[in-house]
Amino acid sequence: MRLARASGCFSLSYLAYGVIFLFVTLGVSAVAGSPRTALIALVGFWAFSAFIMPKAAAEISKIVTPTAALGEFDARLQETRRTGFGGPTPRERLAEYRQSLLDQYQVADVADLPVYWVALSMQRLEEMDHEFFDHYYKGLDNSYLEQRRLQDALGVLAPTLPLSSISMGLSGTDLLHQRDFVNAAEETRRAMVDKVNAYLAEMAASFNANLREGATTDIESNDRVLVADEAVFQMVDPVRYSPPTLNTVLGEYRMAFLVLALWIIVALIFARIAVGRIGIQTR
Amino acid sequence: MYSLLLKHETKTLVRTPAFAWILLLLAAAVAIGAWAGGAHLGRIERGASYYLADATADRAKLRSDLERYEERVAARGEQVQIAAYSHTQRGAVPQGTNAGSVGVKAAEIATLPPTGIQAFSVGQSDLLLSYVPVTTAGLTTALQASEMGNPVNLKRGPFDLSFVVIFLLPIFILAISYDMLSSEKERGTLAMVLANPLSLQKLMSSKVVSRAVIILGVIAALGFGSLLTVGTALGEPDTWARFGVWLAATLLYAVFWFLLSVFVNALGRNSATNGIILAGAWLAFVVVIPTLVSVGATTMYPAPSRFDFITASREAQTDSERNYMRELNQYYYDHVEHVPEERVNDFLSVTRAKNDAVERAVAPLFAEFRSQQIKQDQLVSNFQFVSPAIMMQRVLNDVTGVSAARYHRFVDQVQAFREQWVSYFTVRFLTATPMRSAEFDEFPKFQYEEEPVSAVVTRSLPSIGGIIVILVLLGGAAMATLRRYQVASR
């Protein structure tokens, strides 16, 4: 059903695109003084719409919503991971958490905790990282979406722009689908890490002894080994992914549909007026 | 008579409002292209500067910690110890004492510097990373990283000067030349003009020369203006040599479209037909043929996907986790001349051993990736002569410094440098030699060794030569066809 509806919307969009070019061709042929002028104007319109405007729109969207290069993005993210968003740094927050655990279990050293400190600290660091990564990557996703939405709006100058967005969206090859999938994968990963760390925190408490001053960390001579059984692997749920619904896709591309509809109306009016003028001249 | 005709044609042309608009649009397109290319380059350079600043700060921190420690130790008259590797600083001995730690933490940023006219062309620099952190950890991840960009924008491509030259310039040229003779014929003035002591060849020549001189002059001026505004290293002869090749190729490419227009005009069809033929030729040469050649190359020689790399890395990682002792033995075997008396199975040695195992596992994939890319490039090179646009693209990529060849050269140098880096730190690490703060000035430094511009020119010669051969053939065909031109309609 979804496929049929998506295919219908897909076909209608391309049909609309064809109709726009039909009416524009009709109108230009009627208005132009000679077939030569009409031809040049139409080839120019096509080249503008198909080649010039998509690139120009991309450049404009980059000016309006700039995004950082990898080096800058990565450096800012790493800096935030070191210093946080103001307030206590992640390291300070981890120290506070450590102290709260020591207080809770009434011990002086993490080596004496009845829960595995490394697993708990990894989980806490993970959770802090979620804040930072979400801030940067969701911000980046939003910038990309804003760039594309602006390009859709610039489609008032070239119908190819909204059509290409709609085409990618309905085919599921756009950023919306990709980000949705990546976010779902990330949620699965986070849930898995959460479960594994919780398991480790409980089951590997004896590993705390490694944290004692002077304890050996030599892998060969270290006899503290935790063997994961089948049950451990079963605590991670199988991944089930559902792509965004068609309504979500249509909602995301409403501007593109609107612009395409606007083009049909304007092209129709233009063709009608232009053809009407021929009638007056021939009488 | 000819010079009079030339003057008349030029005056008529200059007074035509449409021609002024076309020149204005061309100037606007070049300005946008130069600005967009400059903005892209600025973004990349900013990205690289952040990496450099981070790496410099990390190294300075390691060094200052080490200096303080050295002073403390000297004051107490003690021996310098080596810290066990740790992600964060632990204990009194700083990480800077451990060559293994320093090799990982004090990255050297290998940077591919832009050429003087790199702002003229984005090429694949919007995807291929031109700054790579080199550490003793594997290069696989660093080399697989790509520059960040909106996939929608990547799909649409940049509005750079290469786009203006390859895509738009022909449209402007065809718009002012598609009806050079046909319009005269349609207005009935052609026979009248030729009633004077003047050959059709000279008339055509005056029309095309007047147009070409103006357009080529404007392109040269705009190109020069672009160089002064977004070009870099203007004091370097390399920049001017590259600009010279860029300009020569661009002018030859422009002449191709003028000659094509002359040839089509010489066929004696009406203006509308000329327009359709030339628009079709533009579509075929600029859009369809390059796309087909590119699709053919990537279909015939598919390169391993990112997924293949990830799978191979993961499998090697899992395997090395299971058999870490085997990998450790291999690691010690690889560095047999520096094996310590007491082999230690510490975290860093095992990690290095596992990293090396992963690098070894993905090396064949890298080799295949490169080999397929070279085959793709060879195929495009062989088929470039079917479209001047492909030849032009190759020349522009090469001369502006965004060609695959230059990037491969950069990657090769980065890989060679990494071996130097690994060797420097591994010897100290395995022989348990404490790092000293003074040694921080002696770390290997990456400096991209640019190929001489003559090598770029040599590589561009087949493409430029191809365009010249086409020009000669097309010019000859146009002259021959013009001789058979029917001035009066039958």
Side-chain angles (χ1 to χ4, degrees):
Chain A
M1 188 59 195
R2 185 191 190 276
L3 184 66
R5 280 180 64 207
S7 306
C9 292
F10 190 87
S11 309
L12 274 177
S13 306
Y14 273 91
L15 188 67
Y17 186 68
V19 167
I20 290 165
F21 265 84
L22 186 72
F23 285 135
V24 168
T25 307
L26 195 63
V28 170
S29 317
V31 168
S34 66
R36 196 175 75 187
T37 317
L39 180 74
I40 291 173
L42 287 167
V43 169
F45 172 66
W46 169 75
F48 178 78
S49 181
F51 296 102
I52 300 173
M53 206 44 213
K55 289 177 191 290
E59 297 297 343
I60 293 168
S61 71
K62 282 191 263 184
I63 300 170
V64 176
T65 314
T67 56
L70 177 71
E72 182 177 353
F73 181 88
D74 204 24
R76 284 185 191 281
L77 172 62
Q78 297 309 332
E79 177 62 15
T80 305
R81 290 181 75 197
R82 277 193 293 271
T83 59
F85 292 123
T89 64
R91 195 177 282 189
E92 287 165 351
R93 284 167 68 185
L94 189 67
E96 281 171 20
Y97 177 59
R98 184 173 178 274
Q99 191 55 50
S100 72
L101 277 175
L102 296 178
D103 293 346
Q104 185 188 337
Y105 290 103
Q106 301 285 309
V107 290
D109 191 344
V110 285
D112 300 319
L113 283 172
V115 282
Y116 185 37
W117 161 244
V118 173
L120 290 176
S121 63
M122 282 196 302
Q123 182 58 32
R124 183 46 64 101
L125 286 170
E126 269 277 325
E127 285 161 12
M128 283 191 272
D129 265 352
H130 295 169
E131 291 172 38
F132 308 140
F133 278 84
D134 285 351
H135 174 80
Y136 279 92
Y137 278 97
K138 294 213 164 127
L140 184 71
D141 287 348
N142 288 339
S143 297
Y144 286 169
L145 280 178
E146 276 172 32
Q147 286 184 346
R148 204 224 63 234
R149 284 175 190 148
L150 178 63
Q151 291 174 28
D152 288 350
L154 286 168
V156 293
L157 299 173
T160 312
L161 282 167
L163 181 76
S164 73
S165 285
I166 291 169
S167 182
M168 284 189 284
L170 291 173
S171 312
T173 53
D174 62 339
L175 205 59
L176 181 77
H177 282 82
Q178 199 263 348
R179 293 318 305 173
D180 188 74
F181 174 72
V182 168
N183 289 338
E186 176 60 13
E187 271 178 35
T188 306
R189 190 194 70 81
R190 287 180 185 184
M192 183 173 76
V193 169
D194 191 8
K195 283 182 181 169
V196 171
N197 278 337
Y199 166 79
L200 267 181
E202 193 187 338
M203 303 300 289
S206 67
F207 283 29
N208 276 334
N210 287 345
L211 305 171
R212 249 182 250 288
E213 190 78 24
T216 177
T217 51
D218 189 298
I219 294 170
E220 256 196 336
S221 60
N222 193 332
D223 59 357
R224 282 180 279 270
V225 174
L226 182 69
V227 178
D229 58 13
E230 208 173 310
V232 176
F233 286 89
Q234 279 175 353
M235 72 186 176
V236 179
D237 299 325
V239 182
R240 286 202 178 81
Y241 172 68
S242 314
T245 63
L246 186 60
N247 284 346
T248 310
V249 177
L250 296 180
E252 175 56 39
Y253 292 101
R254 59 187 178 278
M255 171 63 90
F257 281 109
L258 199 70
V259 170
L260 213 53
L262 194 70
W263 261 103
I264 293 186
I265 295 166
V266 171
L268 181 66
I269 293 170
F270 168 60
R272 197 180 162 84
I273 293 172
V275 172
R277 277 179 57 195
I278 294 178
I280 293 162
Q281 284 167 356
T282 48
R283 248 173 246 157
Chain B
M1 183 66 187
Y2 180 74
S3 62
L4 196 68
L5 200 63
L6 202 59
K7 266 187 199 164
H8 169 74
E9 276 296 334
T10 310
K11 270 187 189 171
T12 313
L13 204 58
V14 170
R15 285 176 189 160
T16 313
F19 186 68
W21 275 108
I22 283 171
L23 289 184
L24 200 67
L25 283 174
L26 178 60
V30 169
I32 295 171
W35 174 84
H40 167 76
L41 192 58
R43 180 176 179 265
I44 287 180
E45 288 189 312
R46 206 164 45 250
S49 72
Y50 269 86
Y51 261 19
L52 277 171
D54 252 17
T56 309
D58 288 347
R59 197 179 291 189
K61 174 82 172 62
L62 279 170
R63 186 177 186 161
S64 64
D65 286 351
L66 182 55
E67 280 168 346
R68 275 201 300 276
Y69 172 69
E70 283 170 342
E71 283 167 19
R72 233 173 23 241
V73 167
R76 290 178 194 159
E78 294 169 354
Q79 287 284 313
V80 171
Q81 303 293 311
I82 299 178
Y85 174 83
S86 161
H87 287 299
T88 52
Q89 179 58 46
R90 282 183 187 168
V93 185
Q95 288 288 301
T97 51
N98 185 332
S101 295
V102 178
V104 180
K105 292 169 190 278
E108 170 78 2
I109 308 298
T111 309
L112 176 64
T115 64
I117 61 165
Q118 191 159 319
F120 282 26
S121 189
V122 169
Q124 290 195 331
S125 66
D126 52 359
L127 204 60
L128 301 174
L129 206 55
S130 56
Y131 40 94
V132 180
V134 179
T135 66
T136 45
L139 254 187
T140 310
T141 313
L143 287 178
Q144 275 184 50
S146 50
E147 188 48 273
M148 282 180 119
N150 188 340
V152 175
N153 295 341
L154 290 175
K155 174 184 166 284
R156 295 197 163 139
F159 195 118
D160 57 0
L161 271 180
S162 288
F163 167 70
V164 173
V165 167
I166 295 170
F167 276 74
L168 302 187
L169 182 61
I171 297 178
F172 293 129
I173 291 171
L174 298 182
I176 60 166
S177 63
Y178 78 101
D179 62 346
M180 285 183 293
L181 278 188
S182 55
S183 61
E184 295 267 12
K185 197 172 179 180
E186 284 155 16
R187 283 199 302 266
T189 51
L190 183 61
M192 224 159 60
V193 173
L194 291 176
N196 292 291
L198 173 75
S199 68
L200 181 65
Q201 281 80 1
K202 279 195 174 165
L203 176 68
M204 177 58 113
S205 164
S206 70
K207 282 179 180 294
V208 75
V209 168
S210 57
R211 284 164 173 77
V213 164
I214 296 175
I215 288 286
L216 299 188
V218 168
I219 293 167
L222 291 172
F224 188 66
S226 303
L227 178 70
L228 294 183
T229 46
V230 295
T232 53
L234 296 181
E236 298 289 328
D238 183 89
T239 303
W240 290 93
R242 284 176 185 272
F243 177 69
V245 179
W246 180 88
L247 189 61
T250 303
L251 296 183
L252 284 174
Y253 184 66
V255 171
F256 163 79
W257 290 100
F258 273 116
L259 280 182
L260 186 68
S261 200
V262 170
F263 175 72
V264 171
N265 268 275
L267 294 173
R269 311 280 168 83
N270 61 38
S271 299
T273 311
N274 286 357
I276 291 173
I277 293 172
L278 288 169
W282 177 84
L283 187 66
F285 286 138
V286 176
V287 181
V288 179
I289 296 174
T291 308
L292 287 179
V293 170
S294 169
V295 169
T298 48
T299 310
M300 282 182 73
Y301 303 111
S305 70
R306 186 179 287 260
F307 191 73
D308 295 331
F309 277 102
I310 293 171
T311 309
S313 295
R314 288 277 157 82
E315 280 174 1
Q317 186 76 40
T318 310
D319 185 53
S320 66
E321 296 281 354
R322 265 194 219 120
N323 303 296
Y324 68 90
M325 281 311 293
R326 182 192 68 199
E327 306 305 354
L328 194 62
N329 286 337
Q330 180 68 43
Y331 177 68
Y332 282 129
Y333 179 76
D334 289 344
H335 302 284
V336 69
E337 70 277 28
H338 306 298
V339 172
E341 284 173 21
E342 191 189 343
R343 287 164 47 143
V344 286
N345 303 339
D346 70 324
F347 174 78
L348 202 56
S349 305
V350 174
T351 306
R352 288 282 70 77
K354 286 185 203 165
N355 271 355
D356 285 1
V358 174
E359 293 284 308
R360 275 198 303 275
V362 295
L365 271 180
F366 262 114
E368 192 194 342
F369 190 78
R370 170 72 69 88
S371 154
Q372 293 296 82
Q373 275 189 326
I374 290 169
K375 284 179 189 162
Q376 287 175 8
D377 189 65
Q378 192 53 51
L379 190 134
V380 174
S381 173
N382 293 341
F383 279 89
Q384 65 174 316
F385 304 107
V386 293
S387 162
I390 304 179
M391 290 186 256
M392 193 60 189
Q393 186 75 63
R394 292 179 71 81
V395 176
L396 295 191
N397 281 351
D398 235 336
V399 84
T400 53
V402 294
S403 65
R406 187 168 183 256
Y407 196 75
H408 286 162
R409 189 180 163 84
F410 170 63
V411 170
D412 287 344
Q413 289 184 22
V414 172
Q415 282 172 332
F417 174 75
R418 186 195 165 247
E419 281 174 23
Q420 197 188 340
W421 183 268
V422 168
S423 166
Y424 181 89
F425 289 101
T426 305
V427 172
R428 283 162 178 75
F429 171 62
L430 287 176
T431 54
T433 312
M435 290 293 299
R436 308 307 299 255
S437 57
E439 286 179 291
F440 275 58
D441 292 326
E442 295 162 14
F443 290 175
K445 286 182 178 55
F446 180 82
Q447 182 75 47
Y448 175 69
E449 197 182 310
E450 188 69 85
E451 61 182 339
V453 78
S454 57
V456 178
V457 174
T458 308
R459 213 165 37 239
S460 299
L461 275 181
S463 306
I464 294 177
I467 296 177
I468 292 173
V469 169
I470 290 177
L471 290 187
V472 172
L473 294 176
L474 195 57
M479 292 301 287
T481 315
L482 208 56
R483 272 189 221 111
R484 296 194 294 272
Y485 191 85
Q486 297 287 326
V487 176
S489 303
R490 278 176 204 162

